[in-house]
Amino acid sequence: MVSYVDAVTAPLRKNGQIKIHGPQAFEGMRRAGRLVAECLDMLTGEVREGVPTERIDQLVFEFAMDHGAFPATLMYRGYEKSCCTSINHVVCHGIPNDKPFRAGDIVNIDVTLLLDGWHGDSSRMYAIGEIPRRAERLIEVTYEALMRGVAVVKPGATVGDIGHAIQSYVEPQHMSVVRDFCGHGLGRLFHDEPNIVHIGRPGEGSVLKPGMFFTIEPMINLGRPHVKVLSDGWTAVTRDRSLSAQFEHAVGVTETGVEVFTLSPKGLERPPASTAA
Ligand code: MF3
Ligand code: CO
Ligand code: CO
């Protein structure tokens, strides 16, 4: 027997299975994904020398409120901000604070918005002023790694194919793929099955089917892949303090291939366009 509460919350739980979504869910994800992309577009002119990351967080919160959305990270497992701001050797989950951006910094801004019950999740790199050539290269390789992962998504491909596309592109360039964090299924849930690991072997792992939704969000380091989490319980940094970059898209598997839900309407996600001069 199933209680009323069980029946209505069942679609909202993790149940070990990868959910298959229909046309209305695709429509919901398109709207949530587009809103996140517009939010990241809006930030392009705001990421400047002297601006504290808290100001970015405030802009994301206001953008969400103005558009009938809610920042999914706010009050998520004790996290108290509307986005993550991960600067230089911070790999992910950097917490916005009163420290200002400095010329030469690179920063990943990761925004997840809940709109009408659907999660849009995306992140991009931004550069503050002139950045070192090696930072530029890291950003370019990381973006290309994400897009190579996206490009292999289609029915019948596997999660391992995605990881392999990323790893086999990144490692020959003497950069490394972070193992400790991965992409994730999403939809009505923020973090759902499957895990999308950014390394792998062709043909291994779950088989992709039309209607699956997930993120691909490789974190790439100039040095070794190892990370540690600081005492705040969130901020993940490279152990060797080398620079780290990340891009994230939310995608859906279609009958013939892939739909990217978080593309910038202005084409701003692609470096160097995402880097404010
Ligand atoms: N948006 C991140 C992701 O891509 C998750 C951030 S969780 C937080 O999955 F609590 F750190 F904000
Ligand atoms: Co994500
Ligand atoms: Co994210």
Side-chain angles (χ1 to χ4, degrees):
M1 193 171 85
V2 186
S3 79
Y4 173 76
V5 170
D6 282 350
V8 292
T9 60
L12 291 170
R13 285 197 304 263
K14 251 181 154 173
N15 60 9
Q17 296 214 317
I18 306 174
K19 295 180 182 66
I20 302 295
H21 301 88
Q24 296 208 322
F26 270 85
E27 199 39 59
M29 290 300 283
R30 268 178 212 127
R31 296 182 56 232
R34 192 185 313 117
L35 192 64
V36 170
E38 286 168 355
C39 182
L40 293 173
D41 284 356
M42 173 275 292
L43 293 176
T44 302
E46 307 288 341
V47 180
R48 296 186 310 268
E49 188 177 359
V51 174
T53 44
E54 253 165 19
R55 170 68 185 149
I56 301 301
D57 191 67
Q58 182 189 4
L59 288 166
V60 171
F61 181 78
E62 284 167 7
F63 182 93
M65 294 302 115
D66 289 349
H67 292 84
F70 191 81
T73 56
L74 195 54
M75 281 126 67
Y76 176 78
R77 299 177 184 227
Y79 195 80
E80 293 178 343
K81 298 289 173 181
S82 298
C83 64
C84 299
T85 51
S86 304
I87 299 175
N88 295 338
H89 70 293
V90 179
V91 173
C92 63
H93 302 165
I95 306 171
N97 60 20
D98 57 5
K99 261 186 73 177
F101 291 123
R102 303 189 325 180
D105 283 346
I106 61 171
V107 61
N108 173 277
I109 302 179
D110 191 335
V111 173
T112 309
L113 295 178
L114 178 61
L115 179 68
D116 298 336
W118 298 99
H119 289 85
D121 186 5
S122 183
S123 79
R124 296 182 198 161
M125 297 302 296
Y126 302 78
I128 292 80
E130 285 281 308
I131 60 170
R133 179 66 195 133
R134 65 192 153 77
E136 241 168 53
R137 256 194 25 92
L138 172 66
I139 290 175
E140 278 159 23
V141 167
T142 306
Y143 180 76
E144 177 68 17
L146 166 61
M147 297 318 282
R148 285 184 181 221
V150 169
V152 302
V153 175
K154 62 175 184 197
T158 70
V159 167
D161 293 343
I162 300 172
H164 181 259
I166 293 169
Q167 184 177 21
S168 66
Y169 167 69
V170 168
E171 288 182 346
Q173 321 210 40
H174 306 290
M175 299 183 193
S176 64
V177 180
V178 170
R179 270 73 163 159
D180 300 61
F181 299 96
C182 52
H184 49 91
L186 83 173
R188 289 198 176 278
L189 288 183
F190 185 1
H191 291 120
D192 203 350
E193 270 86 26
N195 285 335
I196 305 293
V197 182
H198 303 108
I199 59 170
R201 279 191 269 221
E204 287 190 346
S206 304
V207 177
L208 305 182
K209 298 195 183 75
M212 290 181 178
F213 298 159
F214 51 84
T215 70
I216 307 177
E217 47 182 299
M219 284 138 277
I220 308 300
N221 299 347
L222 276 185
R224 309 271 302 150
H226 310 107
V227 313
K228 68 173 180 202
V229 175
L230 301 185
S231 58
D232 61 22
W234 288 103
T235 312
V237 300
T238 54
R239 279 189 177 269
D240 62 8
R241 296 189 65 86
S242 66
L243 285 182
S244 186
Q246 180 180 26
F247 283 87
E248 174 177 26
H249 272 317
V251 306
V253 184
T254 65
E255 294 297 328
T256 54
V258 63
E259 177 171 345
V260 181
F261 296 127
T262 43
L263 289 177
S264 165
K266 295 184 178 164
L268 284 178
E269 71 264 278
R270 202 178 192 309
S274 69
T275 62

